[in-house]
Each structure stands twice: as structure tokens, then as C-alpha cells.
Amino acid sequence: MGGETPDADLIDIRRLRSFLTVAQEMSFTRAGARLYLTQQAVSSQVRALEHAVGTELFRRTTRNVQLTAAGRELHDRVRPVLRALDDAISAARELGAQDGGRTVKVGHTPTAAYWLLPCAAGLLDAGDPAVRLRTEEHTETGLRAAVAEGRVHLGVGLELESGVDGLAGHEVGGEPWCAVVGPGHPLAVRRRVRLAELAGYEWLTWPRSSHPGHWHAVHALAASVGGVPAVHETWLSVAHARLTAGATVMLRPVSYTAHPLLGLVALELEDAPMCRYTAVWNEAAAPPDLAEVLSALTGAAERLARLGLAEAGAGR
């Protein structure tokens, strides 16, 4: 039985991480930037993984990168395995550092990872190096459940509904929305538009079942625009294809411009309304170092508020 999968023992974990990062970014260049590697190094690692697995994992063209069926299967099976490995390593580090550092487990919705959490972690490191953030990604509903059940100390999310599930909430700041369209969209050549100009196009939003706060926020914006646009729910994996192929629009926080998906265009909104970030925690068990973490999150949001679209897009 032990000899059925000998190749698995020869696969370098770094190659799997490179593969997962490319699958998330759909770009070897952006994956390299996240991993602090060159595009060539990431491509080499993925090709080595494909050779070890024995099949192509990505279809590459001059315009885009797409997962093959085998690539999607590997992605779906490997991602939770590496996440469990990271959790195990983090837990071991926590036990080894009990006499020194203090770890705060922070759950977050995806957009909080664009700017807010990395910047907050940097501010914490500069102000109180003993406090560390251990982060994990959730949907909005999954995040509230994780906080309520004590699986994370603190939850941070964009347009996160608080005051539910017995959770306390604190608004840490906000940032402007931007509009994301495909390269063939009639507005793609503009780069800068007014919110009312989006009224004639279909808007996309995350599903209400998984991200109710975001869903309500987008619908409220749509209602404020003359000639109310149609708003349809979609998942991230489908949104990219729909934006690329049609005259659709998706509202994202301006910090999205630091991590745009391949082929999509971020449009600055001249009259951009603000979206808000909220931190939530269990009222019955306030997390350790709550004040310090909230202060760092607020400081990160204030720093972003001082920057424009170009600065946010240039990275942290």
C-alpha cells in the first residue's frame, strides 16, 4: 500500500505553494510578487510540479492563465492540506513562544487582506513586537461563526454586519470603492468615471447567503444611482469570467488595485462613496490585546485614507 504514491514524497512544498498562489492570482508575475520570487522562478517551480504530477496544471496563453481540470482537482485537494500544515506550524510556534510573544487569531474576509491586515501587522510589529497576528480567511457568515464559537479571537471584514450572534463590533475605518470591469468594457478606456455612469450596466455582488453585509452595501449603492442597475450574485471564480466576457461591473475597495486579477481594469470613481471595515469579537470573551489590535487596524485604515488610487495600487 505504501508504494502506490511514491511521487508524492518527492514533491517540494514550495512548489505546491507556488502553484496555489498562481491559481489564486491567475498570473505568474503577481504570484512572484507575493512570494518574493521572480516570474521565472515561479514558472520553473510550477513546471517542476507538473512534471512530478505527470500532467499539465495550467493552460497558458499570451493573454491569460487558466487551471486545467487536473489543476482544479489538485488545487481543491491541496489547499486545505497546506492550510492544516500552516495551522500546525503556527500552533507549535505559539507553544514555543508562550514565555514571550502573544498571538491574536484574526479571521477576515478576503478584501481585508489587500491592505488593512498587512499594514496593521506592520504597525503592531513596530509598536509592540510581542503581539502577533495569526490570520485565516472566511466568508462573512463563516467569520461570524468562527468568532462566536471562539475559533478566532477577532473578526475583520468589509461591510461586516455586527450586532448579531452576540458579537460586539467596532468600525475601524473605511476606503473608497472602485469599479472593476473587463478589458472590452465600454468604460475600460476611461480609467476614471462617475458612479452614475455605471447605472446602465449589470452589477455583480457576492452571494447574500455568504456575504450579507457586502450584498446589502452594493444594493444600497445601486439604489442610489439613477436608472437602478440590475445586481446579480456570483462567486469569485465565476466573476472573473463574467467581467472579462461582458459589459458587467463589480465594486471593490480601492486597495484591490494592488492585487488586480489578470485582464481586469480598475476604474477610479470621481465621486467614490466609502466602504467600511468592522472588527467584531465575542462579548463574553474579549480577545487578548484587543486595544492594541484595534489601534493598529484603525491606524492602517487612516493611512489608506491618506493615499489615493495610484499609491494603493503601487503596493504597501
Side-chain angles (χ1 to χ4, degrees):
M1 182 70 70
E4 292 181 358
T5 57
D7 291 343
D9 296 332
L10 303 178
I11 295 178
D12 193 319
I13 290 179
R14 291 172 296 180
R15 295 173 182 170
L16 291 172
R17 293 194 188 281
S18 291
F19 162 71
L20 291 179
T21 306
V22 174
Q24 182 178 2
E25 295 288 343
M26 284 301 156
S27 164
F28 284 86
T29 300
R30 288 196 299 273
R34 281 184 54 184
L35 295 168
Y36 299 98
L37 297 172
T38 65
Q39 180 271 334
Q40 292 84 357
V42 174
S43 180
S44 176
Q45 288 189 359
V46 171
R47 289 191 183 280
L49 177 61
E50 289 176 322
H51 182 267
V53 174
T55 188
E56 187 179 53
L57 302 174
F58 292 102
R59 289 193 178 91
R60 306 160 176 84
T61 71
T62 56
R63 295 180 61 86
N64 58 32
V65 176
Q66 295 291 333
L67 283 166
T68 63
R72 285 193 297 272
E73 180 73 11
L74 183 64
H75 172 273
D76 292 346
R77 289 177 177 268
V78 164
R79 187 178 182 185
V81 172
L82 287 190
R83 183 176 293 171
L85 176 61
D86 290 339
D87 287 345
I89 292 173
S90 295
R93 285 174 175 167
E94 287 178 34
L95 289 174
Q98 281 182 349
D99 59 343
R102 307 184 302 277
T103 299
V104 179
K105 300 177 184 177
V106 179
H108 63 91
T109 56
T111 46
Y114 293 152
W115 170 279
L116 191 69
L117 281 175
C119 186
L123 293 175
L124 271 176
D125 189 56
D128 189 352
V131 180
R132 305 182 183 93
L133 299 184
R134 175 183 166 193
T135 63
E136 56 184 59
E137 186 176 306
H138 295 268
T139 63
E140 180 187 336
T141 52
L143 176 58
R144 290 204 305 265
V147 176
E149 295 166 9
R151 289 183 279 120
V152 297
H153 296 125
L154 190 71
V156 181
L158 179 73
E159 298 296 342
L160 183 65
E161 291 186 333
S162 58
V164 294
D165 302 326
L167 303 183
H170 175 74
E171 187 173 329
V172 297
E175 61 177 293
W177 291 99
C178 69
V180 179
V181 299
H185 194 285
L187 296 176
V189 297
R190 295 277 303 280
R191 303 290 177 168
R192 185 177 173 87
V193 299
R194 296 183 63 82
L195 186 63
E197 294 180 78
L198 307 179
Y201 303 99
E202 177 188 73
W203 289 17
L204 302 179
T205 181
W206 306 136
R208 185 178 187 178
S209 60
S210 61
H211 295 81
H214 183 274
W215 185 93
H216 283 298
V218 173
H219 275 264
L221 282 175
S224 71
V225 175
V228 182
V231 181
H232 295 287
E233 298 181 355
T234 186
W235 290 100
L236 178 60
S237 57
V238 180
H240 182 269
R242 293 188 65 179
L243 288 167
T244 302
T248 56
V249 176
M250 196 165 198
L251 294 183
R252 306 299 296 274
V254 72
S255 53
Y256 165 85
T257 57
H259 306 279
L261 290 176
L262 184 67
L264 299 184
V265 178
L267 306 176
E268 184 176 1
L269 294 173
E270 295 179 7
D271 51 350
M274 298 290 288
C275 52
R276 60 187 175 84
Y277 286 98
T278 301
V280 296
W281 61 92
N282 193 327
E283 291 182 297
D289 302 295
L290 175 63
E292 288 86 347
V293 177
L294 289 179
S295 177
L297 289 167
T298 301
E302 290 174 348
R303 182 177 178 187
L304 178 57
R306 294 193 297 268
L307 299 179
L309 181 71
E311 289 86 351
R316 292 179 293 277

